[in-house]
Amino acid sequence: MMQTNPVRVLNVLGTTNLGGAESRVMELYRALDRTKVQFDFLVHTEKEGQYDQEIRSLGGRIYAVPRFRGLNLSAYKRALRRFFQEHHAFAAVQGHMTSTAAFYLPIAKKAGIPVTIAHARSAGVDRGLKGMVTKIVRAPLKYRADYCFTCSAEAGEAVYGRAWVQQGKVWTIPNAIDTKRFLFDASVRSQVRSELGLADKFVIGHVGRFGFMKNHSYLVDIFAELCKMRDDAALVLIGKGELEGAVRDKVRTLGLSDRVVFLGNRFDVERYYQAFDYFVFPSVFEGLPGSVVEAQAAGLQCLVSDQVTREAALTDLAVYKSIEEPPAGWASEIMRNAKKALHREEHSGTIEKIFRDKGFDVRQQAAAMEAFYISGVNPPGHVTPYRSFDKKGR
């Protein structure tokens, strides 16, 4: 029988603001054949999200439930039951917010939704009590989802456990992007650098939320050391978050305010990758950071924390370094490779093929995901082969 209406898939997120998971979901959403598969969203806030307008323009619906705050578990479950009793005509529910997926996926299943998916996108948790609660709440998740997806082997192990990965029960779905959107463009580079007043500067770039995991304080220390080595160094930071104020204070204290640009969130982030000379990413933990993938697509030299999975190194542009080292070591590494950063156009011809071959091209992924959502079987990723690894050798 010919399909007349698209199947609808519910994506569960914290918000629809600019962020790592949200950006990856939106990349896939734009690339889908929406006559076959349509996305809807369940978020944990009543506030308008930065992607809401685009979602509605693409035909998606946005629903909201209250955020789980620990002591409101009964009320949270009641809200979920009410929602899924009223809205259960989905082919699948995909939970990108794994902190509470062990609650909402079984409720969705009981309401009659045929396929439930947990999608691990981070290999760590916040510090303190919040992180401890997250680990406890999501411990049974692997038993409560029909499919366990992950963006990397490390994230899969962190969320579902080593044994689950070892037994081949976790499917790796690459954080695919629209590669063409990020390829190096000299004219855009010149335009953006002029707009920012950085035409003659050596620009270090970073894209990420101002939170503990991104390690902005250490990044500022690296930049301070680089400034001792180069008079033309500038730092551009893209993102928002609860620690932005603390980072701004540190920049002022170090006397670097005239050399650091805070741009907030940007929908056209691909333009700013063109303006960078080097991408620096000293995270404490990640799943598989989309910004490192995007930076490589733009042909940027990338210096990346050794706490980030090597699965993010799609090209030889990504070099890893320990965040236990003094910041001066990172600055010296940037200086050693500064000349390479001037030849980005040399990489454009091969990057698209590399991304396709490694499963990181979103158009290729969209076609495979469409087939999965329609059939409900045979996910398009691969079962991560288990291997013992350490931070230096994985």
Side-chain angles (χ1 to χ4, degrees), residues 19-209:
E22 295 86 352
S23 295
R24 301 288 71 80
V25 174
M26 291 302 296
E27 286 271 20
L28 178 61
Y29 189 19
R30 296 180 193 112
L32 289 172
D33 181 344
R34 292 182 296 280
T35 66
K36 296 179 180 178
V37 176
Q38 179 59 253
F39 276 0
D40 294 317
F41 295 80
L42 179 64
V43 296
H44 291 68
T45 178
E46 294 286 350
K47 294 180 180 178
E48 184 80 1
Q50 291 157 326
Y51 280 123
D52 283 8
Q53 185 175 349
E54 181 180 6
I55 288 169
R56 293 186 182 108
S57 73
L58 295 174
R61 303 162 184 162
I62 303 166
Y63 308 97
V65 292
R67 180 174 289 276
F68 173 59
R69 300 187 184 281
L71 297 178
N72 67 335
L73 178 58
S74 295
Y76 181 63
K77 286 184 174 180
R78 281 197 302 272
L80 289 168
R81 283 193 288 268
R82 282 197 301 270
F83 171 77
F84 284 113
Q85 285 168 3
E86 296 174 9
H87 306 91
H88 48 260
F90 300 108
V93 174
Q94 190 159 343
H96 308 275
M97 186 178 176
T98 56
S99 57
T100 57
F103 298 141
Y104 61 73
L105 290 182
I107 292 172
K109 190 75 174 181
K110 189 174 181 180
I113 296 170
V115 175
T116 59
I117 306 158
H119 199 142
R121 293 186 175 276
S122 178
V125 296
D126 289 331
R127 292 175 293 183
L129 181 61
K130 183 178 179 181
M132 292 173 59
V133 171
T134 296
K135 287 183 177 181
I136 293 168
V137 167
R138 77 182 183 193
L141 174 58
K142 57 182 175 284
Y143 305 110
R144 298 181 179 178
D146 295 321
Y147 292 99
C148 294
F149 286 2
T150 184
C151 62
S152 69
E154 189 176 353
E157 186 172 309
V159 173
Y160 309 117
R162 178 173 294 186
W164 216 247
V165 176
Q166 188 172 8
Q167 292 166 28
K169 296 179 178 179
V170 179
W171 292 80
T172 301
I173 310 295
N175 277 347
I177 66 168
D178 181 357
T179 312
K180 291 182 183 295
R181 191 158 64 94
F182 294 91
L183 293 177
F184 179 67
D185 187 319
S187 63
V188 174
R189 171 181 170 80
S190 178
Q191 180 183 0
V192 176
R193 286 169 70 91
S194 177
E195 290 172 2
L196 296 176
L198 302 174
D200 58 348
K201 302 298 183 182
F202 182 72
V203 180
I204 304 301
H206 182 272
V207 178
R209 181 176 171 272

Side-chain angles (χ1 to χ4, degrees), residues 149 170-174 365 368-369 378-384:
F149 286 2
V170 179
W171 292 80
T172 301
I173 310 295
Q365 186 179 96
M369 290 300 293
N378 300 323
H382 61 275
V383 177
T384 303

Side-chain angles (χ1 to χ4, degrees), residues 217 220-224 248-257:
S217 180
V220 173
D221 288 334
I222 294 167
F223 180 66
R248 286 181 178 271
D249 289 343
K250 181 167 186 171
V251 167
R252 280 193 294 271
T253 299
L254 293 174
L256 299 174
S257 296

Side-chain angles (χ1 to χ4, degrees), residues 272-305:
Y272 294 91
Y273 284 112
Q274 310 305 320
F276 300 162
D277 291 301
Y278 220 109
F279 190 77
V280 182
F281 199 80
S283 285
V284 176
F285 63 83
E286 291 284 344
L288 193 150
S291 54
V292 174
V293 174
E294 293 168 350
Q296 290 173 85
L300 280 165
Q301 295 289 324
C302 301
L303 188 54
V304 182
S305 164

